[in-house]
Amino acid sequence: MKVIVLGGGRVGGPMAMDLNKDERFEVTVADYSDKALNNIKTKCPEISTIKKDLSNPEDVISLVNDYDLAVNAVPGFMGFKTAKAIIKAGKNSVCISFYEEDPFELDQLAKENNVTMIMDCGVFPGMGNALIMYLAQKLESVENVMVYVGGLPVVREWPTEYKAVFSPMDVIEEYIRPARCIENGVLVVRPALSEVEHIFFPQIGTLEAFNTDGLRTLLKTVKAQNMKEKTLRYPGHAEKMTMLRKLGFFSKEKNIEIKGMKVSPLEMTAQILFPEWELKPGEPDITIFRAIVEGIKDGQKIRYTINMFDRYCAETDVISMARTTGYTATVALRMVVDGVYTHKGISPPEYMGKYPECIEYLLKGLKERGVNWEICREK
Amino acid sequence: MKVIVLGGGRVGGPMAMDLNKDERFEVTVADYSDKALNNIKTKCPEISTIKKDLSNPEDVISLVNDYDLAVNAVPGFMGFKTAKAIIKAGKNSVCISFYEEDPFELDQLAKENNVTMIMDCGVFPGMGNALIMYLAQKLESVENVMVYVGGLPVVREWPTEYKAVFSPMDVIEEYIRPARCIENGVLVVRPALSEVEHIFFPQIGTLEAFNTDGLRTLLKTVKAQNMKEKTLRYPGHAEKMTMLRKLGFFSKEKNIEIKGMKVSPLEMTAQILFPEWELKPGEPDITIFRAIVEGIKDGQKIRYTINMFDRYCAETDVISMARTTGYTATVALRMVVDGVYTHKGISPPEYMGKYPECIEYLLKGLKERGVNWEICREK
């Protein structure tokens, strides 16, 4: 089967290489960056590459038409358009592109075209959603869902002690957008970066966790009395980011005048932070996920804990962000090909969690790639 | 005598009003801002005002020609040009404008024109320099000179807990420019914001002190084994500013591109911080100065401590920054008029400290205005 990977970046590249290991797949990567494509070519010559600007949906449709499957790994700002184009081309796909638009707008179209599209197929949103749904279904009622997730550099550099493979603009967006959560059955909104708490992780030490708007589809798909998501960073990060926000460095208002031109502080701040936050080649990163799911079963209070901790792989030079996000998507794609997951239309990742066989498939596939998700149950 | 005050801002205005109380003086204020001039007019109608752009030195010369004395209270960036114009006009003057250029470049010209110009005639540089020189002269050898100085808002607003009447650009400059100091008789340079220590002041509580480049002329005029100046802020300020500097927000390099135009982060940062750091009308401020001068006299180790703590005056609505800086200059001007200080040429404030009668004059004049400088001596 012919697979097209749209976006050959630091996550898309490893996804293509993982898919290439599968005899069934003939893999092609499309990207506009020669650097990205050459990087893949040198590591894995069997993969075909196409230099292409994917910003025009029409081009994407005609490109995807020649393939049987698609992986959507483009930057967030063009993710929705690309997803729509893949559906129009009538191909099954998985998507790790994190966009703001509501993917369910595409559900009808996907059903009409009889395609399966698994969206947000990473860590959280991603495998985390699937496991929370899986556990929620084991319970008669869900009391609490508490999610902690973060990707961090191993080496901590003062002051922000943070690095990522996506743009500072996307990170800052998490620090601006109000965080929706469920408290006592009611949807409430808390400021981003608020309610900082400290959590000890034996593998990396004490981290801080603060509110961000990460629940997204789970707010509708899982019914719980209390549900909250927090982002993990090294202690002190939240206060520093709150300071920048309070001082106005994250403002989108064009309230700064440079040589008669109105600009927004955020435009400039994102540029200033880019070199600071860029995870350099070979720099090791980690990914941490922990969720607590509490509820009642057979009249008994049950507490499940989900844990995942992953590190950069020096041997393959694949960053943890790519391992945990990309491999979830590539395993999910296989699951669709194998007919284990057959839902037509748009699937948020938690839909996979409705089927124990899917969870089993995903856990096994990720374990084979060294990404270990663990569920423990306490009475 | 006719006195022209160049610059009628939040320090220049109160200076004009103070001079106006003196029968001998007929006071005129020149400023480009109607707001500033009207503010003076309403508070003190006897003062004449002239709306004038003082950026052109030729205009300043012809303006000052019609007066007997001048006070240079223009913004720092135009201070040197204005000082030169006053000298060319051949009038005695005091200057509180804080500029980067070396005032001694004007010494020859001032001597030729037989005028007295007392520069940096504020707190520090200013009265602090004069008192340090005065005490240094009492000693056979000066071991240590340690200076702590700062102007702060009474009300602390997170995160920076700072306000000022001068532009953020000037404040940030203090946080960038390397701090020159004397250690064991050698001139050394320390990074600005470095060597943070905490000092308790009974009137305001614990403050932090960090290196800034405030010694300036004292580095040459007073001979000491160790001499250091530190700026006072509320605790935590230095780390936040160091963070902004480290992240690149204080960079003067035009390394940011906004719509094809190269701009420097500092240009934008100064604009962002302006509303945050602006001391609003009626907002109370304080000024703190402490210096320790240690040395040997008659083979004995002697320690002098200089203290000054001043607050905003609600009755006259004069901010402490204007009281402590402006009144030092207006008293010094009277001292020149009274023939107590007669040095021709450029005088850094410490020159006044060479004459006990001048120190007496200054201390008395400031005390009359409620600005109390205290010297205590310990064996």
Side-chain angles (χ1 to χ4, degrees), chain A residues 43-98:
Chain A
K43 283 183 175 168
C44 198
E46 317 87 84
I47 295 176
S48 316
T49 57
I50 300 172
K51 179 179 168 68
K52 199 167 186 62
D53 175 0
L54 302 170
S55 60
N56 175 2
E58 291 311 312
D59 298 350
V60 176
I61 294 172
S62 54
L63 173 67
V64 173
N65 266 324
D66 307 339
Y67 297 86
D68 307 301
L69 298 161
V71 174
N72 181 358
V74 300
F77 71 89
M78 53 199 278
F80 185 78
K81 290 188 307 181
T82 306
K84 191 169 186 177
I86 294 167
I87 292 168
K88 283 184 171 170
K91 312 297 181 177
N92 292 336
S93 68
V94 292
C95 173
I96 60 158
S97 183
F98 192 71

Side-chain angles (χ1 to χ4, degrees), chain A residues 157-159 239-240 243-244 246-247 249 256-259 261 263 265 267-269 271-272 276, chain B residues 157-159 239-240 243-244 246-247 249 256-259 261 263 265 267-269 271-272 276:
Chain A
E157 183 180 4
W158 190 88
E239 193 197 15
K240 295 183 181 89
M243 167 192 161
L244 290 178
K246 167 74 169 61
L247 290 176
F249 287 101
I256 300 301
E257 193 169 330
I258 307 274
K259 300 183 186 64
M261 195 175 61
V263 300
E267 288 177 70
M268 196 213 57
T269 298
Q271 284 190 53
I272 290 175
E276 183 82 11
Chain B
E157 184 181 4
W158 190 88
E239 193 196 15
K240 296 184 180 88
M243 167 190 160
L244 290 178
K246 167 74 169 61
L247 291 174
F249 286 100
I256 300 302
E257 193 168 330
I258 306 276
K259 300 184 184 63
M261 194 175 62
V263 301
E267 288 178 73
M268 194 213 59
T269 298
Q271 283 191 53
I272 290 176
E276 183 81 11

Side-chain angles (χ1 to χ4, degrees), chain B residues 212-237:
Chain B
T212 42
D213 191 48
L215 291 175
R216 294 161 55 94
T217 52
L218 278 177
L219 288 164
K220 294 182 196 144
T221 54
V222 168
K223 184 135 190 55
Q225 269 304 96
N226 300 287
M227 180 154 42
K228 189 165 280 192
E229 183 260 7
K230 289 187 173 186
T231 291
L232 295 166
R233 296 285 187 260
Y234 290 114
H237 186 84

Side-chain angles (χ1 to χ4, degrees), chain A residues 43-317:
Chain A
K43 283 183 175 168
C44 198
E46 317 87 84
I47 295 176
S48 316
T49 57
I50 300 172
K51 179 179 168 68
K52 199 167 186 62
D53 175 0
L54 302 170
S55 60
N56 175 2
E58 291 311 312
D59 298 350
V60 176
I61 294 172
S62 54
L63 173 67
V64 173
N65 266 324
D66 307 339
Y67 297 86
D68 307 301
L69 298 161
V71 174
N72 181 358
V74 300
F77 71 89
M78 53 199 278
F80 185 78
K81 290 188 307 181
T82 306
K84 191 169 186 177
I86 294 167
I87 292 168
K88 283 184 171 170
K91 312 297 181 177
N92 292 336
S93 68
V94 292
C95 173
I96 60 158
S97 183
F98 192 71
Y99 46 85
E100 264 194 83
E101 298 90 338
D102 176 12
F104 287 109
E105 286 177 21
L106 302 172
D107 192 47
Q108 193 50 42
L109 184 65
K111 284 187 164 72
E112 284 161 17
N113 293 5
N114 193 44
V115 299
T116 297
M117 175 178 283
I118 305 173
M119 55 172 284
D120 288 350
C121 205
V123 174
F124 193 81
M127 190 62 184
N129 304 50
L131 290 171
I132 287 165
M133 173 64 82
Y134 170 67
L135 296 175
Q137 289 204 334
K138 292 171 172 283
L139 301 167
E140 286 140 20
S141 68
V142 182
E143 198 55 41
N144 303 310
V145 176
M146 190 70 227
V147 179
Y148 301 98
V149 60
L152 290 165
V154 171
V155 177
R156 299 166 59 162
E157 183 180 4
W158 190 88
T160 62
E161 306 188 313
Y162 180 69
K163 303 252 178 167
V165 291
F166 32 85
S167 93
M169 198 68 98
D170 297 349
V171 179
I172 294 170
E173 189 56 48
E174 293 178 44
Y175 299 160
I176 300 169
R177 192 181 302 157
R180 294 164 296 166
C181 57
I182 308 287
E183 291 181 5
N184 305 308
V186 181
L187 178 76
V188 298
V189 174
R190 299 252 174 261
L193 297 169
S194 63
E195 297 183 320
V196 175
E197 61 183 299
H198 292 88
I199 304 170
F200 179 75
F201 293 87
Q203 309 96 327
I204 192 69
T206 299
L207 299 179
E208 73 179 8
F210 49 82
N211 289 328
T212 42
D213 191 48
L215 292 174
R216 293 162 56 93
T217 53
L218 278 176
L219 289 165
K220 295 180 195 150
T221 55
V222 168
K223 184 134 190 53
Q225 268 305 95
N226 301 287
M227 180 154 42
K228 189 165 278 193
E229 182 260 6
K230 289 188 173 184
T231 292
L232 295 166
R233 297 286 187 259
Y234 290 114
H237 186 83
E239 193 197 15
K240 295 183 181 89
M241 294 302 108
T242 307
M243 167 192 161
L244 290 178
R245 189 179 63 187
K246 167 74 169 61
L247 290 176
F249 287 101
F250 293 166
S251 169
K252 292 175 177 176
E253 263 180 75
K254 295 193 178 300
N255 53 10
I256 300 301
E257 193 169 330
I258 307 274
K259 300 183 186 64
M261 195 175 61
K262 293 280 185 188
V263 300
S264 76
L266 181 56
E267 288 177 70
M268 196 213 57
T269 298
Q271 284 190 53
I272 290 175
L273 292 179
F274 184 80
E276 183 82 11
W277 281 359
E278 187 188 21
L279 190 75
K280 307 287 183 305
E283 244 190 292
D285 67 326
I286 56 170
T287 313
I288 312 126
F289 179 93
R290 174 178 294 173
I292 289 115
V293 180
E294 293 175 317
I296 306 295
K297 190 181 180 182
D298 311 326
Q300 257 191 335
K301 211 165 168 32
I302 292 179
R303 175 197 178 95
Y304 293 106
T305 306
I306 307 167
N307 276 301
M308 187 275 291
F309 181 87
D310 187 68
R311 291 181 181 279
Y312 162 78
C313 174
E315 193 184 338
T316 57
D317 185 36

Side-chain angles (χ1 to χ4, degrees), chain B residues 186-202:
Chain B
V186 182
L187 178 75
V188 299
V189 174
R190 299 255 174 259
L193 297 168
S194 62
E195 298 184 318
V196 175
E197 61 183 299
H198 291 88
I199 304 170
F200 178 75
F201 292 87

